[in-house]
Amino acid sequence: MSLTMLPPSRAGVPASPAPRDRFVDILRVFGMVLVVVQHWTMPVLIYADGRLSTGNALAGVPLITWISQVMPLVFFAGGAANAISWRSAARRGEAPGLWVARRLRRLAWPVLPLAFVWLPLPYVLAALGVPAQPVEVAARTVGQLLWFLAVYLLAVVATPYLTRLPAGRVLPVLAVGAVLVDVVRFSGLEQAGYLNVLFVWLAVHQVGFLYAEGRLEWLTGPRALALSVAGFGMVAGLVAAGPYPASMIGMPGAVSNMAPPSACMLALFAGQLGLAMLLRPTLDRFGRRPWTDTLLTVLAPRMMTLYLWHMTALTTVAGIALLGFGVDTPDVGTPSWWARMPLWLAAMTIVLLALVGLFGRMEEPPGTASARMVVVGTLMIGAALTALMITGFSIGVVPPLATCVLIAGLLVLSHRGAERSGAPDPAVTGRV
């Protein structure tokens, strides 16, 4: 079942989306929470003689990642939110550059508290006598999370322009591009696979536009189930035929479906989208309950803080357990491993809630946006996020330099008194 051969909306006009879409909110919150839980349950950590060895607890159960790897749904929900936000801004007469500036400021601003904590932290820990290698692993791991922001920046910048193009033409081009990139990648030119950062994630993001227009309303019941079966069936076929691995997350020493993303992720997205649309009526009813509405209202605007700081919570708890008490990860799947998992998750949840309480208020940047030098600001923020993604916050020149570039980029996109940023956008409840 193709998502590119879509029935037109009634009267040939896209349906007007509701100001708040609880289904999109639930996908965002559920997606980010599942990302956090997956990252917290994956590590197998062994510390000895000043060195930290790492493994992946999901290596033996790759089929779990077909559900737990929800980044496709996160990009889909982000595409829907961006489309709703941009169309709301366009109706107010806002220019594309100003909208991009507003979105990028909210995307990049929460990174600053993370940088201000982690830039000096490796030096402080070294001064306290903590061995260098585990600190290096932690500092790089925290920075690797910024890959999502760097890619999402591209999606935000493309939104005002891709929404003008017919999806029936754009989606096939992106999908075919993803397949061709894989052909080149698996023919021996591995680095070519990073072109799929554009083709794969923009394709998923573009499907979110269709949802925002009301053009996925037909995807219910048996049709949604058929899409889910077809999508997961295609994943199974690609894995069986190779060279795609069964795991939808990266595994040490193996080909990855995520870094860089492969065309297999598009098949996975089709399976997950069908399942999500099948459950949409239930999720809508769930989202209308008062306590659920309150929970989403509290969590949705803090999703970026939750995402950025959850690995800090992991490194904090792991550091205390490993270096402080000498408690390594038990053998995966053993009674000891299962018995410790609730305590492990509870400890990290407590730390993360404290971090969100401390830094969650910093998600909204001060002042207003400026589109005067939006291209320059966008390039600076994109370059800074990419550099931090590669180096993390390890000891060296690049992390502080990249942070300075990030700050400069945010200043470039800030109001200087010549233009108005427009009213707050009521169409989007979160920050992503």
Side-chain angles (χ1 to χ4, degrees):
M1 183 179 297
S2 172
L3 293 178
T4 62
M5 303 300 294
L6 300 170
S9 350
R10 290 187 180 92
V13 179
S16 297
R20 289 172 68 106
D21 190 315
R22 279 313 192 196
F23 176 65
V24 172
D25 280 348
I26 289 173
L27 288 185
R28 277 159 138 189
V29 172
F30 167 78
M32 281 301 181
V33 170
L34 195 53
V35 166
V36 170
V37 173
Q38 179 174 260
H39 285 170
W40 283 355
T41 54
M42 287 192 314
V44 177
L45 306 174
I46 306 295
Y47 179 70
D49 299 325
R51 295 194 62 81
L52 177 67
S53 301
T54 62
N56 196 315
L58 299 182
V61 283
L63 293 184
I64 290 179
T65 65
W66 294 21
I67 298 297
S68 66
Q69 175 53 276
V70 290
M71 271 303 173
L73 285 182
V74 171
F75 273 96
F76 164 75
N82 282 334
I84 293 171
S85 174
W86 162 240
R87 290 191 174 102
S88 174
R91 284 193 295 269
R92 299 195 304 268
E94 188 170 298
L98 188 54
W99 180 85
V100 167
R102 286 198 299 112
R103 300 293 283 182
L104 292 191
R105 289 175 77 243
R106 285 200 302 215
L107 181 70
W109 181 260
V111 179
L112 293 184
L114 185 73
F116 293 158
V117 169
W118 272 96
L119 283 176
L121 189 57
Y123 297 91
V124 172
L125 294 175
L128 293 175
V130 179
Q133 189 266 349
V135 173
E136 174 78 6
V137 171
R140 287 186 175 273
T141 300
V142 170
Q144 287 172 358
L145 293 174
L146 298 178
W147 78 265
F148 170 69
L149 277 70
V151 177
Y152 198 76
L153 177 147
L154 298 174
V156 168
V157 171
T159 293
Y161 309 100
L162 289 182
T163 51
R164 301 174 184 174
L165 302 176
R169 296 179 182 177
V170 175
L171 282 176
V173 169
L174 293 174
V176 170
V179 173
L180 292 178
V181 166
D182 274 7
V183 171
V184 175
R185 172 190 177 186
F186 294 123
S187 296
L189 191 57
E190 175 67 23
Q191 296 304 313
Y194 286 95
L195 290 173
N196 267 346
V197 168
L198 291 174
F199 288 115
V200 170
W201 296 128
L202 286 184
V204 173
H205 192 258
Q206 185 88 3
V207 178
F209 296 172
L210 300 177
Y211 175 85
E213 295 172 359
R215 295 179 63 190
L216 296 186
E217 295 298 323
W218 59 277
L219 194 54
T220 59
R223 291 174 178 174
L225 180 60
L227 177 64
S228 184
V229 171
F232 287 122
M234 187 176 297
V235 173
L238 290 172
V239 169
Y244 301 98
S247 176
M248 297 298 123
I249 62 175
M251 294 293 175
V255 174
S256 176
N257 281 315
M258 269 295 292
S262 70
C264 190
M265 298 304 294
L266 294 179
L268 179 71
F269 168 64
Q272 292 182 347
L273 177 63
L275 185 59
M277 295 301 288
L278 180 66
L279 297 174
R280 182 187 173 194
T282 301
L283 294 176
D284 280 337
R285 289 193 298 271
F286 179 73
R288 287 194 294 268
R289 295 178 179 178
W291 70 270
T292 307
D293 183 79
T294 301
L295 184 64
L296 291 174
T297 301
V298 171
L299 289 180
R302 293 168 175 81
M303 280 297 98
M304 188 58 67
T305 301
L306 186 114
Y307 175 75
L308 289 174
W309 288 94
H310 77 274
M311 291 305 289
T312 301
L314 169 62
T315 57
T316 301
V317 175
I320 294 173
L322 292 167
L323 279 67
F325 295 97
V327 179
D328 294 335
T329 304
D331 291 339
V332 177
T334 62
S336 179
W337 186 84
W338 284 108
R340 292 186 187 182
M341 186 55 64
L343 181 61
W344 173 255
L345 295 177
M348 288 184 290
T349 299
I350 292 171
V351 174
L352 180 58
L353 289 177
L355 292 170
V356 171
L358 183 61
F359 298 109
R361 69 193 71 180
M362 301 180 186
E363 287 223 14
E364 187 68 35
T368 54
S370 168
R372 184 177 299 175
M373 299 176 66
V374 65
V375 174
V376 174
T378 298
L379 292 174
M380 294 175 74
I381 291 174
L385 293 175
T386 302
L388 290 173
M389 172 191 71
I390 295 171
T391 65
F393 296 101
S394 55
I395 293 176
V397 175
V398 173
L401 180 61
T403 302
C404 290
V405 174
L406 179 64
I407 294 171
L410 285 167
L411 290 175
V412 166
L413 297 183
S414 295
H415 181 56
R416 297 184 178 181
E419 56 207 308
R420 297 177 62 189
S421 67
D425 185 358
V428 181
T429 58
R431 295 289 183 263
V432 178

